[in-house]
Amino acid sequence: MKKIFLFLISAVLLAGCAGNKCPDGTYTLQLFSTNDVHGRYFDSLYVSDQTKGSLLAVNHYVDSVRQAVGAENVILVDAGDCLQGDNASYYFNFVDDTTRHVYARMVEYMGYDAIAVGNHDIETGHPVYDRMVRDMKVPFLAANAVRTNNGQPYFKEYVTVRKHGLKVAILGFTNPNMKAWLAPHIYEGMEFKSLLPCVQETVDRVKKQEKPDITVVLVHSGTGEGDGKQFENQGLDLFNTLEGVDFLICSHDHSPYVAKKDDMVLINSGSHCRNIGHGILTLEVKDGKVVSKSIGAENVPLNKDLVDTVMREHFRADYEAVKAFTVEKIGTLTTELRTRDSYKGMCDYMNLIHTVSLSAAPAQISMAAPLTFDGMVKSGTLLYNDLFTLYPYENQLFVVKMSGKEVKDYMEYAYDGWINTVSSAADHVLKIRHQPDYRTGVMGWSFESRPYNFDSVGGLIYTVDVTKPAGERVQIASLADGSVFSEEAEYNVAMTSYRASGGGKIMTEGAGIDTATIGDRVVAYHKEIRDLLYDFIMEHKTLTPDVMGDPAVIGHWSFVPEAIAAPALERDMEQVFSR
């Protein structure tokens, strides 16, 4: 009889909650958020005993809270860029594309409530993200990605879930600046609305329909400055204007950030499972209605070595498949490659990127930047894993028609994002600033801008004078083969799909090219640059400085005057990398 009575009481309570009328009382819900995981599913580096941040560490932490407060009081969400950036994501995107994707299985195992679509998720291409929609039982959300043929959402807009009887609406949005990142064919059939006013309009509509007790908004957009001027980073713009939202989860810029006001918090946990965003919301319910709320937020550093060992074993076979793929020998390297060397002049690493880009017909000039901030590949046997250090993203290579003047203007703009005008070796040549490290809080020197926009050029012989003002620094002597370079001539220029589409604004603000019509200038589309690197290594087997940097192919460049530039650059580099 007692069991029947308890069952009836439970049924009544659930029925009340199902009608959005929860029993009176005080409820406390914990929200946890990740973003920009970038394929960090496993904690292993695959080729050593070192570990890294991972979903295994995330699950260890979240499950410990679930055990303490009850799973019904925990919300778990992600704000996008989960399908690209690591060996595991690449393997299940492109190598084993028949098995149900490991990320789909992992987030289901972990009990995620919703995941927003990131720009790097779209970058994987229709076959991958369309498959993810099919594979994932966890909702994959992007309300501002709409179909060009009928204006309807391409992905799901939102999901509602019950937490301790409370109704939670979770809405997801992707980055609206997709044209600046990707070639049009990658998102064929879609267009992307600005988050302002799309988020507020969608929130208003969903709240009217669903009448939730709690509203969570996931945006794959950077925090920004809140000045309304950064289309790619609209987080603070939303935070300053949104109404009716409890949690706003941002992402994209990899910079941890928390903002609070009385009725709403913004959380950006950074990237790569280094932190987990934590929001806490306490509600008071009277007569079936929420009458008061208090809210708080923080970012919690995760210990990469504290992982869910049961989860690790559950996905052991997937890990072993990725590892076997990762340690495949693909060639030999006779000299160490360090991406940090790119910031002070020519180096073997950038020489290799330019050489591979210039091998793509009909390229005459190559424009490229380091995409790994501080990576290193040792001399000796080259493994497939090393390609993710050399080139972590799935960018395609485009060959674009540009005038000589556009090339020169591009170069001036790129270097101005990278260097200062100086008068002596005591000045900072590199644009760096003294500030706390976003992970540790320790003061140190770092670049003012993103190094993935520090483009150098292959196929030309030129100098960059650090004593000259912006716009007058680059002096082009000739093409790599010695032939005349003319600002009136046209050249075929190899660059990433990200750059050709306007990423970093070097094409638009530097070269003055309207990237909305870049297709009219593209003379050749090539496959992803990492795949081109793989083909180049397989062809040559052994990479020597001569193979990677033949001056007749890539030309030569340097910072001048050397008496000022060289010692200043060495000091700046020592400061940036001394943490």
Side-chain angles (χ1 to χ4, degrees):
M1 181 64 71
K2 183 177 180 181
K3 289 183 178 180
I4 295 173
F5 175 75
L6 290 173
F7 173 79
L8 290 173
I9 291 293
S10 298
V12 169
L13 288 175
L14 288 172
C17 291
N20 208 37
K21 291 183 180 180
C22 290
D24 289 356
T26 301
Y27 299 81
T28 297
L29 296 187
Q30 314 269 344
L31 177 138
F32 293 98
S33 64
T34 53
N35 55 269
D36 299 276
V37 168
H38 284 297
R40 292 284 186 91
Y41 310 151
F42 302 109
D43 61 327
S44 170
L45 294 182
Y46 305 105
V47 294
S48 73
D49 293 333
Q50 291 180 287
T51 56
K52 61 187 178 184
S54 67
L55 290 181
L56 300 177
V58 170
N59 205 50
H60 177 273
Y61 188 87
V62 175
D63 262 8
S64 69
V65 177
R66 285 181 174 135
Q67 291 169 20
V69 305
E72 71 277 10
N73 295 310
V74 173
I75 306 166
L76 179 59
V77 295
D78 184 277
D81 274 6
C82 43
L83 300 179
Q84 188 203 68
D86 189 84
N87 313 46
S89 52
Y90 183 87
Y91 179 81
F92 282 97
N93 288 350
F94 305 112
V95 180
D96 181 358
D97 58 2
T98 56
T99 300
R100 187 174 174 230
H101 201 290
V102 70
Y103 182 74
R105 289 180 278 126
M106 276 189 157
V107 293
E108 181 181 338
Y109 180 97
M110 296 172 69
Y112 270 88
D113 293 294
I115 294 163
V117 177
N119 57 288
H120 283 297
D121 301 325
I122 295 293
E123 189 168 16
T124 60
H126 267 290
V128 176
Y129 58 78
D130 288 345
R131 171 181 159 217
M132 291 307 298
V133 172
R134 298 191 300 269
D135 277 3
M136 286 210 312
K137 294 180 181 178
V138 179
F140 207 23
L141 309 176
N144 62 321
V146 298
R147 298 178 185 270
T148 54
N149 62 350
N150 59 16
Q152 295 301 305
Y154 191 90
F155 300 91
K156 195 169 184 177
E157 292 183 292
Y158 71 95
V159 63
T160 59
V161 297
R162 290 281 179 178
K163 297 292 177 178
H164 209 140
L166 297 165
K167 193 173 189 180
V168 183
I170 306 172
L171 299 83
F173 303 82
T174 194
N175 197 286
N177 201 26
M178 212 67 74
K179 287 184 178 180
W181 284 83
L182 306 175
H185 73 274
I186 292 176
Y187 55 87
E188 184 178 4
M190 270 185 281
E191 58 186 2
F192 303 90
K193 296 180 179 180
S194 171
L195 300 182
L196 286 92
C198 183
V199 175
Q200 186 67 69
E201 291 173 349
T202 311
V203 165
D204 292 345
R205 173 165 49 82
V206 169
K207 292 194 74 169
K208 185 176 180 180
Q209 288 175 202
E210 302 291 342
K211 296 179 175 54
D213 302 301
I214 301 164
T215 302
V216 180
V217 169
L218 314 175
V219 293
H220 192 80
S221 182
T223 302
E225 300 295 330
D227 55 8
K229 297 179 180 179
Q230 298 184 44
F231 190 52
E232 190 161 306
N233 302 298
Q234 296 181 307
L236 280 175
D237 296 335
L238 291 167
F239 183 70
N240 293 334
T241 60
L242 276 178
E243 296 180 355
V245 172
D246 300 296
F247 295 104
L248 173 63
I249 311 301
C250 295
S251 55
H252 186 62
D253 57 12
H254 296 194
S255 298
Y257 188 87
V258 171
K260 307 175 187 178
K261 52 188 180 182
D262 289 344
D263 58 351
M264 180 180 173
V265 294
L266 178 155
I267 307 172
N268 181 336
S269 71
S271 69
H272 296 91
C273 304
R274 297 186 182 100
N275 303 302
I276 189 165
H278 177 214
I280 186 166
L281 180 64
T282 299
L283 308 89
E284 184 182 0
V285 176
K286 277 188 178 181
D287 299 326
K289 295 182 180 180
V290 176
V291 296
S292 68
K293 293 181 182 180
S294 62
I295 193 166
E298 62 180 339
N299 274 318
V300 180
L302 289 178
N303 184 335
K304 62 185 175 63
D305 296 316
L306 290 178
V307 302
D308 185 330
T309 55
V310 175
M311 180 179 173
R312 176 194 275 162
E313 289 307 310
H314 185 85
F315 292 98
R316 172 66 65 180
D318 300 290
Y319 166 78
E320 294 295 345
V322 175
K323 183 176 181 178
F325 166 74
T326 292
V327 299
E328 173 195 350
K329 179 180 177 180
I330 60 173
T332 302
L333 181 65
T334 65
T335 187
E336 183 178 277
L337 301 181
R338 301 194 306 172
T339 65
R340 68 165 65 172
D341 293 339
S342 310
Y343 310 131
K344 61 181 180 179
M346 290 187 75
C347 66
D348 289 324
Y349 164 68
M350 286 308 303
N351 290 350
L352 173 61
I353 302 300
H354 286 309
T355 297
V356 169
S357 298
L358 288 165
S359 70
Q364 300 166 281
I365 295 172
S366 162
M367 294 170 169
L371 294 192
T372 300
F373 170 68
D374 187 22
M376 190 264 288
V377 177
K378 295 181 179 179
S379 59
T381 299
L382 273 172
L383 305 179
Y384 197 93
N385 181 69
D386 295 321
L387 293 179
F388 291 89
T389 299
L390 297 173
Y391 215 89
Y393 300 113
E394 275 80 65
N395 289 328
Q396 283 187 283
L397 187 75
F398 286 11
V399 180
V400 179
K401 185 74 70 177
M402 295 175 67
S403 72
K405 183 179 186 307
E406 290 168 339
V407 169
K408 171 72 160 51
D409 290 346
Y410 180 111
M411 295 168 71
E412 293 283 6
Y413 186 93
Y415 280 106
D416 190 45
W418 181 359
I419 65 169
N420 294 304
T421 298
V422 301
S423 57
S424 76
D427 299 326
H428 289 295
V429 169
L430 296 176
K431 286 188 172 178
I432 58 177
R433 59 190 173 194
H434 202 235
Q435 62 182 5
D437 183 273
Y438 70 82
R439 292 184 294 268
T440 65
V442 176
M443 292 297 294
W445 292 91
S446 60
F447 290 113
E448 293 181 6
S449 302
R450 300 291 186 182
Y452 56 69
N453 289 323
F454 293 178
D455 282 34
S456 62
V457 177
L460 296 178
I461 298 172
Y462 68 99
T463 58
V464 182
D465 192 330
V466 299
T467 67
K468 296 290 180 64
E472 300 177 18
R473 296 178 176 127
V474 177
Q475 297 296 318
I476 302 173
S478 68
L479 295 174
D481 62 5
S483 59
V484 174
F485 175 86
S486 169
E487 291 196 4
E488 286 70 44
E490 286 193 330
Y491 299 96
N492 295 322
V493 183
M495 62 182 67
T496 66
S497 51
Y498 167 68
R499 189 70 77 231
S501 301
K505 300 182 180 179
I506 307 179
M507 286 286 276
T508 53
E509 296 185 3
I513 292 172
D514 179 7
T515 55
T517 59
I518 196 65
D520 297 337
R521 289 174 172 259
V522 177
V523 296
Y525 294 99
H526 290 275
K527 56 186 176 180
E528 290 164 3
I529 296 170
R530 192 191 301 120
D531 291 338
L532 293 174
L533 276 166
Y534 175 80
D535 292 344
F536 184 85
I537 295 168
M538 295 300 287
E539 176 186 354
H540 291 275
K541 302 299 182 186
T542 300
L543 296 186
T544 66
D546 289 342
V547 169
M548 294 184 287
D550 182 354
V553 175
I554 65 170
H556 183 272
W557 76 272
S558 62
F559 288 117
V560 296
E562 186 176 0
I564 292 177
L569 284 163
E570 286 298 332
R571 186 189 63 253
D572 288 350
M573 290 287 290
E574 183 178 347
Q575 289 177 325
V576 170
F577 293 100
S578 64
R579 292 182 194 259

